Amino acid sequence: MTSPRRAPGGFPVVGIIGGGQLARMCAGPAVELGVTLSVLAADAHDSAALVVPSAPVGEHTDLEAVRAFARSCDVVTFDHEQVPAEVLAALEADGATLHPRPSALRYAQDKLAMRERLSRAGIPCPAWAEVRDEGGLLAFADQHGWPVVLKTPRGGYDGRGVLVATQPEDATEWLARAAAAGEPLLVEERVPFVRELAVLVARAPSGQASVWPVVETVQSGGICTEVLAPAPGLTPELAERASDVALGIAAELDVTGVFAVELFELAEGHVVVNELAMRPHNSGHWSMDGATTGQFEQHLRAVLDLPLGSPRARARWTVMANVLGGVDADLYPTYRHVMARDPELKVHLYGKAVRPGRKIGHVNLSGEDLADLRERARHAADYIEGAIRE
């Protein structure tokens, strides 16, 4: 089936452009809320297309495919932030209801635009500049010191599109490639942070907003491998400050839907903004099992302008461990094993083919002993990946 079948009673159809795991994890909450979900998938075997009955196949860059998809939906939202501006503009001209709106989404699509807008609004950010050549890079480094962080303004995620340069020669290839494409790069100071935090916000078109507890994200090789909810040892004052920053950005940019703000915690008790994501986010996967209202249910509530649910944590701690592609292509036996070994474990696999380093699932555990939860969650993730066999 490719066309959404409407439920009786006037319940709406929510369309998601993109068929990845974020769209997939909206399927269960959509059923529970009584709304119909439809996804525009790039392939019939995409993660979400495997579980959502209405999953027409089409590229997010194909204007006519996207327009046809949107006509069958009451609200359209996104699994990713890569839909071209001209496609979004055409949908708006057609009268489609989009959340987040293109006027907000551009600040997640373009890191230079994001830095300029947040800085103008007084939101704490690292020192940054737009650079197009070695002279600009040297001028920035002379002022802020080496190393510096170079970023491609568009398209980077999970450590892609990010380069730490300790000397001008490290950036030669990046500068040449950007110059050939006629595009600038974003350069930032390398922030001496204590740890990385994330704040997840949901905001409805009416302006109602909610915020989950601030979490700590643990990175390995530029990829988030673990989330601790709430962030251990975070003072109430800093938690409130981080939440206020995220809520302030959501209001400033008029974000609708679920919205993630990744932050650096500094030694002097401040935070600065690292990245934005205008969609459900990896840092919020813990909420599926650890919060009264998980991020995927809340995202659907927000884009439909339904009353938002409580983001309150259900337990003292929840740990999320990402499962990355490893040596085993056949996941079902290891999936069964970890469930039998630890009945409290919640395992979420995405129906994706295994590739080394690819996010293929996550596990959640909630309880009172943080160290124990971390060990058990990591063991389960490692076992599914094939890194351990006991």
Side-chain angles (χ1 to χ4, degrees):
M1 177 182 176
T2 56
S3 298
R5 189 160 55 204
R6 289 180 176 272
F11 283 79
V13 174
V14 177
I16 303 179
I17 297 177
Q21 67 260 28
L22 301 181
R24 178 190 178 98
M25 287 184 277
C26 287
V31 171
E32 293 170 356
L33 289 171
V35 303
T36 297
L37 200 65
S38 184
V39 300
L40 182 65
D43 186 275
H45 294 94
D46 278 358
S47 180
L50 296 175
V51 298
V52 178
S54 173
V57 173
E59 292 290 343
H60 63 276
T61 54
D62 184 336
L63 175 57
E64 291 311 313
V66 174
R67 293 175 84 174
F69 173 75
R71 282 195 291 270
S72 67
C73 305
D74 297 291
V75 173
V76 174
T77 186
F78 308 95
D79 174 78
H80 56 75
E81 295 140 334
Q82 307 308 318
V83 181
E86 58 271 21
V87 173
L88 297 173
L91 292 181
E92 279 199 310
D94 289 347
T97 301
L98 306 178
H99 293 299
R101 301 180 183 95
S103 57
L105 192 60
R106 70 179 296 254
Y107 296 107
Q109 294 177 323
D110 187 330
K111 294 180 178 65
L112 275 168
M114 178 265 288
R115 284 289 183 232
E116 191 279 330
R117 179 67 182 270
L118 296 190
S119 298
R120 181 156 40 93
I123 305 294
C125 296
W128 65 276
E130 175 183 317
V131 296
R132 293 180 177 271
D133 52 35
E134 186 175 286
L137 179 63
L138 290 172
F140 182 85
D142 285 346
Q143 183 175 0
H144 300 285
W146 296 95
V148 299
V149 180
L150 278 173
K151 296 181 179 180
T152 55
R154 292 178 173 271
Y157 66 97
D158 283 349
R160 300 175 180 89
V162 178
L163 173 71
V164 177
T166 59
Q167 57 186 348
E169 291 73 21
D170 294 341
T172 300
E173 183 179 340
W174 274 50
L175 290 167
R177 188 165 58 241
E183 297 175 350
L185 292 173
L186 170 65
V187 62
E188 298 177 349
E189 66 173 325
R190 189 176 187 184
V191 176
F193 60 89
V194 175
R195 59 177 168 174
E196 297 189 54
L197 305 173
V199 185
L200 200 69
V201 171
R203 187 170 180 272
S206 62
Q208 184 189 9
S210 67
V211 59
W212 283 268
V214 181
V215 302
E216 178 179 347
T217 62
V218 180
Q219 315 292 319
S220 178
I223 298 176
C224 177
T225 54
E226 187 181 38
V227 172
L228 313 178
L234 192 67
T235 66
E237 295 77 16
L238 191 54
E240 183 177 5
R241 187 175 302 136
S243 298
D244 286 347
V245 166
L247 288 165
I249 296 172
E252 172 71 21
L253 303 184
D254 194 22
V255 179
T256 46
V258 164
F259 169 61
V261 180
E262 297 178 77
L263 301 160
F264 293 131
E265 178 184 350
L266 307 183
E268 56 268 30
H270 297 291
V271 292
V272 296
V273 174
N274 180 23
E275 303 277 1
L276 306 180
M278 291 188 193
R279 51 176 169 73
H281 189 253
N282 191 238
S283 66
H285 288 351
W286 71 273
S287 67
M288 297 173 70
D289 304 299
T292 302
T293 308
Q295 67 167 340
F296 298 101
E297 176 186 343
Q298 197 80 307
H299 185 65
L300 294 174
R301 285 177 176 243
V303 302
L304 289 168
D305 213 6
L306 292 171
L308 299 181
S310 168
R312 187 186 304 274
R314 291 182 179 273
R316 176 70 184 92
W317 302 106
T318 297
V319 173
M320 187 281 292
N322 274 320
V323 179
L324 305 181
V327 298
D328 288 335
D330 185 8
L331 301 178
Y332 195 59
T334 54
Y335 167 81
R336 287 169 54 91
H337 173 86
V338 298
M339 292 174 71
R341 184 179 187 273
D342 195 338
E344 294 183 356
L345 190 72
K346 298 294 185 180
V347 185
H348 303 272
L349 297 182
Y350 305 152
K352 296 167 72 172
V354 173
R355 291 202 304 263
R358 185 188 201 189
K359 289 179 184 174
I360 57 172
H362 69 273
V363 299
N364 286 334
L365 269 172
S366 299
E368 297 297 317
D369 186 332
L370 179 59
D372 174 66
L373 296 173
R374 293 185 73 176
E375 189 280 327
R376 289 159 59 197
R378 189 68 263 155
H379 180 280
D382 286 346
Y383 194 90
I384 295 172
E385 292 172 12
I388 57 175
R389 278 290 175 263
E390 59 184 38

